[in-house]
Amino acid sequence: MDRFVRVFGNRKPVIGMVHLGALPGSPLFDSDAGLEGLVRDARTELTALQSAGFDAVLFGNENDRPYEFDVDLASTATMAFVIGRLRNEISIPFGVNVLWDPMSTVALAAATGAQFVREIFTGTYSSDMGFWTPNAGAAMRYRDRLGRRDMAMLFNVSAEFADSLDRRALADRARSVVVSSVPDAVLVSGQITGEAAAMSDLEAVKAVLPGIPVLANTGVRHDTVADVLAVADGCIVGTALKEDGDTWNAIDPERARAFMAVARTAQGALR
């Protein structure tokens, strides 16, 4: 909780996604645009989010499909390169997420000075990518070995593109994760990128974790953000900000500004 407050303050943060373009080595990489194209597009999205007034930004490699558990070193290195090029332009807290690799995520955060990370750190899943068993203990010890005990770790407890093999209710799993793995915040997701978490899931998890930040991780929209923030302690948003509401399009600055206008009203009403 202390790390979360140090990063985001006492507000319910609205975190905007910077979806980097496909990275070198991944099938969708645009070799014609190259590294400079990645930097250019990331700068455009960062500028749009900061201009719209988002509380924080999260850099992710959502375009590196098909996804991997052990991410290519080139992907992590390229993300560090892009963020490094933009570092002096980032004026709000920022985090990173290397899908779906906790160790690479922590390494990238340490290399770039990110204040927080998001990832699937715990659980056992059957997923589109195969059998999935992340290791929270290894990731958190790695964070500490890299001298980044200040780094806030946001644990997604309902993985996209996967189904938990743990048949306990989501709220019970979330409560157990807080005791066993000491996350700084818990995230609740929908089934795939851009799909909303069920309000009943958010409500159930928050009910059993009144003292731990619980955020909506996917699918928050202009017409739902007020309701989400009435329950959750913040949200992460990407798809709703994109041109035509399509995850794989660029951010539409007007949609981003409109989203934050609604979110600011909601945040103010909850104070």
Side-chain angles (χ1 to χ4, degrees):
M1 185 69 170
D2 289 344
R3 291 187 189 89
F4 187 87
V5 172
R6 282 201 299 270
V7 173
F8 301 109
N10 291 315
R11 69 181 61 178
K12 294 190 173 190
V14 179
I15 303 167
M17 287 298 310
V18 176
H19 289 152
L20 300 181
L23 303 170
S26 66
L28 300 178
F29 175 60
D30 184 350
S31 58
D32 292 331
L35 298 183
E36 290 305 314
L38 291 172
V39 174
R40 179 196 64 231
D41 292 345
R43 175 177 286 117
T44 299
E45 300 216 338
L46 172 66
T47 299
L49 294 173
Q50 292 189 152
S51 297
F54 278 77
D55 298 309
V57 294
L58 176 62
F59 293 90
N61 63 327
E62 270 77 2
N63 283 292
D64 271 0
R65 297 168 286 157
Y67 298 125
E68 299 179 299
F69 293 141
D70 298 313
V71 171
D72 192 303
L73 291 175
S75 296
T76 309
T78 302
M79 290 183 75
F81 169 77
V82 172
I83 295 168
R85 287 279 298 274
L86 302 177
R87 189 66 181 84
N88 291 335
E89 302 171 39
I90 303 173
S91 59
I92 54 179
F94 78 96
V96 298
N97 184 192
V98 186
L99 300 170
W100 297 94
D101 188 334
M103 302 299 278
S104 291
T105 296
V106 170
L108 178 62
T112 58
Q115 292 101 318
F116 66 98
V117 294
R118 173 192 74 175
E119 192 38 90
I120 303 293
F121 289 104
T122 60
T124 301
Y125 303 90
S126 172
S127 80
D128 295 347
M129 295 78 71
F131 188 60
W132 190 1
T133 56
N135 187 330
M140 195 166 286
R141 286 169 174 79
Y142 191 34
R143 177 199 68 177
D144 292 356
R145 289 203 306 274
L146 294 176
R148 289 299 315 275
R149 291 180 65 90
D150 61 306
M151 183 193 304
M153 301 185 74
L154 281 53
F155 282 42
N156 184 0
V157 296
S158 48
E160 301 104 290
F161 309 105
D163 182 50
S164 175
L165 299 179
D166 183 339
R167 303 333 295 179
R168 292 176 295 174
L170 178 61
D172 289 335
R173 286 193 277 122
R175 185 163 54 94
S176 183
V177 164
V178 167
V179 174
S180 67
S181 301
V182 291
D184 297 296
V186 167
L187 309 181
V188 180
S189 304
Q191 285 295 302
I192 61 174
T193 299
E195 184 173 300
M199 285 297 294
S200 58
D201 285 341
L202 277 175
E203 291 166 348
V205 172
K206 188 58 196 174
V208 299
L209 298 176
I212 298 293
V214 174
L215 283 72
N217 187 49
T218 61
V220 183
R221 305 188 307 271
H222 298 67
D223 60 343
T224 62
V225 63
D227 291 337
V228 167
L229 292 179
V231 174
D233 299 298
C235 65
I236 299 173
V237 58
T239 296
L241 314 177
K242 301 301 187 71
E243 295 172 359
D244 300 322
D246 185 329
T247 301
W248 313 114
N249 287 342
I251 288 177
D252 179 340
E254 288 299 326
R255 290 177 72 104
R257 281 192 288 270
F259 187 94
M260 278 311 297
V262 178
R264 283 283 180 256
T265 298
Q267 287 171 322
L270 294 168
R271 288 198 179 100

